[in-house]
Coordinates of all heavy atoms in Angstrom, one line a residue:
K1056 N 88.7 99.7 117.1 CA 89.1 100.3 115.8 C 88.2 99.9 114.7 O 87.5 98.8 114.8 CB 90.5 99.9 115.5 CG 90.7 98.4 115.1 CD 92.1 98.2 114.5 CE 92.3 96.9 113.8 NZ 91.7 95.7 114.4
E1057 N 88.1 100.7 113.7 CA 87.4 100.3 112.5 C 88.3 100.7 111.3 O 89.2 101.5 111.4 CB 86.1 101.1 112.3 CG 86.3 102.6 112.3 CD 85.0 103.4 112.2 OE1 83.9 102.8 112.1 OE2 85.1 104.7 112.2
G1058 N 88.2 100.0 110.2 CA 89.1 100.2 109.1 C 88.7 99.7 107.8 O 87.8 98.9 107.6
L1059 N 89.4 100.2 106.8 CA 89.3 99.7 105.4 C 90.6 99.1 105.0 O 91.7 99.6 105.2 CB 89.0 101.0 104.5 CG 89.0 100.7 103.0 CD1 87.8 99.8 102.6 CD2 88.9 102.0 102.2
Y1060 N 90.5 97.8 104.6 CA 91.7 97.0 104.3 C 91.8 96.9 102.7 O 90.9 96.6 102.0 CB 91.6 95.6 104.8 CG 91.6 95.5 106.3 CD1 91.3 96.6 107.1 CD2 91.9 94.2 106.9 CE1 91.4 96.4 108.5 CE2 91.9 94.1 108.3 CZ 91.6 95.2 109.1 OH 91.7 95.1 110.5
I1061 N 93.0 97.3 102.3 CA 93.3 97.3 100.8 C 94.5 96.4 100.5 O 95.5 96.5 101.2 CB 93.6 98.8 100.4 CG1 92.5 99.7 100.7 CG2 94.0 98.8 98.9 CD1 91.2 99.5 99.9
G1062 N 94.3 95.6 99.5 CA 95.4 94.8 99.0 C 95.8 95.1 97.6 O 95.2 96.0 97.0
R1063 N 96.7 94.3 97.0 CA 96.9 94.4 95.6 C 95.7 94.1 94.9 O 94.9 93.2 95.3 CB 98.0 93.4 95.3 CG 98.8 93.6 94.0 CD 99.9 92.6 94.0 NE 99.7 91.6 93.0 CZ 100.2 90.4 93.0 NH1 101.0 90.0 94.0 NH2 99.9 89.5 92.0
E1064 N 95.4 94.7 93.7 CA 94.2 94.4 92.9 C 94.4 93.0 92.3 O 95.2 92.8 91.5 CB 93.9 95.4 91.8 CG 93.3 96.7 92.2 CD 91.9 96.5 92.8 OE1 91.3 95.4 92.8 OE2 91.4 97.5 93.4
I1065 N 93.6 92.0 92.8 CA 93.8 90.7 92.3 C 92.5 90.3 91.5 O 91.4 90.3 92.2 CB 93.9 89.7 93.5 CG1 95.2 89.9 94.3 CG2 93.8 88.2 93.0 CD1 96.5 89.4 93.6
P1066 N 92.5 90.1 90.2 CA 91.3 89.8 89.5 C 90.8 88.4 89.8 O 91.5 87.6 90.4 CB 91.8 89.9 88.0 CG 93.2 89.7 88.0 CD 93.7 90.1 89.4
T1067 N 89.5 88.2 89.5 CA 88.9 86.9 89.9 C 89.4 85.7 89.1 O 89.0 84.6 89.5 CB 87.3 87.0 89.7 OG1 87.1 87.5 88.4 CG2 86.7 88.0 90.7
D1068 N 90.2 85.9 88.1 CA 90.8 84.7 87.4 C 92.2 84.5 87.9 O 92.9 83.6 87.3 CB 90.7 84.9 85.9 CG 91.5 86.1 85.4 OD1 92.0 86.9 86.3 OD2 91.6 86.3 84.2
H1069 N 92.7 85.2 88.9 CA 94.0 85.0 89.4 C 94.1 83.8 90.3 O 93.1 83.6 91.1 CB 94.4 86.3 90.2 CG 95.9 86.4 90.6 ND1 96.4 85.6 91.6 CD2 96.9 87.2 90.1 CE1 97.7 85.9 91.7 NE2 98.0 86.8 90.8
P1070 N 95.2 83.0 90.3 CA 95.3 81.8 91.1 C 95.1 82.1 92.6 O 94.5 81.3 93.3 CB 96.7 81.3 90.9 CG 97.2 82.0 89.7 CD 96.3 83.2 89.4
Y1071 N 95.5 83.3 93.1 CA 95.4 83.6 94.5 C 93.9 83.7 94.9 O 93.5 83.3 96.0 CB 96.0 84.9 94.9 CG 97.5 84.9 95.0 CD1 98.3 83.8 94.6 CD2 98.2 86.0 95.5 CE1 99.7 83.8 94.6 CE2 99.6 86.0 95.6 CZ 100.3 84.9 95.2 OH 101.7 85.0 95.3
F1072 N 93.1 84.3 94.0 CA 91.6 84.4 94.2 C 91.0 83.0 94.1 O 90.2 82.6 95.0 CB 91.0 85.4 93.3 CG 89.5 85.5 93.5 CD1 89.0 86.3 94.6 CD2 88.6 84.9 92.7 CE1 87.7 86.4 94.8 CE2 87.2 85.0 92.9 CZ 86.8 85.8 94.0
L1073 N 91.4 82.3 93.0 CA 90.8 81.0 92.8 C 91.1 80.0 93.9 O 90.3 79.2 94.3 CB 91.3 80.4 91.5 CG 90.8 81.2 90.2 CD1 91.5 80.7 89.0 CD2 89.3 81.2 90.1
E1074 N 92.3 80.1 94.5 CA 92.7 79.2 95.6 C 92.3 79.8 97.0 O 92.6 79.2 98.0 CB 94.2 79.0 95.6 CG 94.6 78.2 94.4 CD 96.1 78.1 94.3 OE1 96.8 77.8 95.3 OE2 96.7 78.2 93.1
G1075 N 91.7 81.0 97.0 CA 91.3 81.6 98.3 C 92.4 81.9 99.2 O 92.3 81.7 100.4
L1076 N 93.5 82.4 98.7 CA 94.7 82.7 99.5 C 94.7 84.0 100.2 O 94.5 85.1 99.6 CB 96.0 82.6 98.7 CG 96.2 81.2 98.0 CD1 97.5 81.2 97.2 CD2 96.2 80.1 99.0
L1077 N 94.8 84.0 101.5 CA 94.9 85.2 102.4 C 94.1 86.4 101.9 O 94.6 87.5 101.7 CB 96.4 85.6 102.4 CG 97.4 84.5 103.0 CD1 98.8 85.0 103.0 CD2 97.0 84.2 104.5
N1078 N 92.8 86.2 101.8 CA 91.9 87.3 101.5 C 92.1 88.0 100.2 O 91.7 89.1 100.0 CB 91.9 88.4 102.6 CG 91.5 87.8 103.9 OD1 90.7 86.9 104.1 ND2 92.2 88.3 105.0
S1079 N 92.9 87.3 99.3 CA 93.2 88.0 98.0 C 92.0 88.1 97.1 O 91.2 87.1 97.0 CB 94.3 87.3 97.3 OG 95.5 87.3 98.0
G1080 N 91.9 89.2 96.4 CA 90.8 89.4 95.4 C 90.7 90.8 95.0 O 91.5 91.6 95.4
P1081 N 89.6 91.1 94.3 CA 89.4 92.5 93.9 C 89.1 93.4 95.2 O 88.4 92.9 96.1 CB 88.2 92.5 93.0 CG 87.9 91.1 92.7 CD 88.5 90.3 93.7
N1082 N 89.7 94.6 95.2 CA 89.4 95.4 96.4 C 87.9 95.8 96.4 O 87.3 96.0 95.4 CB 90.3 96.7 96.4 CG 91.7 96.4 96.8 OD1 91.9 95.7 97.9 ND2 92.7 96.8 96.1
Q1083 N 87.4 96.0 97.6 CA 86.0 96.4 97.8 C 86.0 97.9 98.2 O 86.2 98.3 99.3 CB 85.4 95.7 99.0 CG 85.6 94.2 99.0 CD 84.7 93.4 98.1 OE1 83.5 93.5 98.3 NE2 85.3 92.7 97.2

Side-chain angles (χ1 to χ4, degrees):
K1056 72 172 193 315
E1057 57 181 359
L1059 175 64
Y1060 292 19
I1061 302 293
R1063 203 173 105 203
E1064 280 299 349
I1065 296 281
T1067 51
D1068 58 357
H1069 191 286
Y1071 285 10
F1072 180 77
L1073 297 172
E1074 293 173 42
L1076 300 183
L1077 298 177
N1078 303 323
S1079 297
N1082 280 314
Q1083 314 278 305

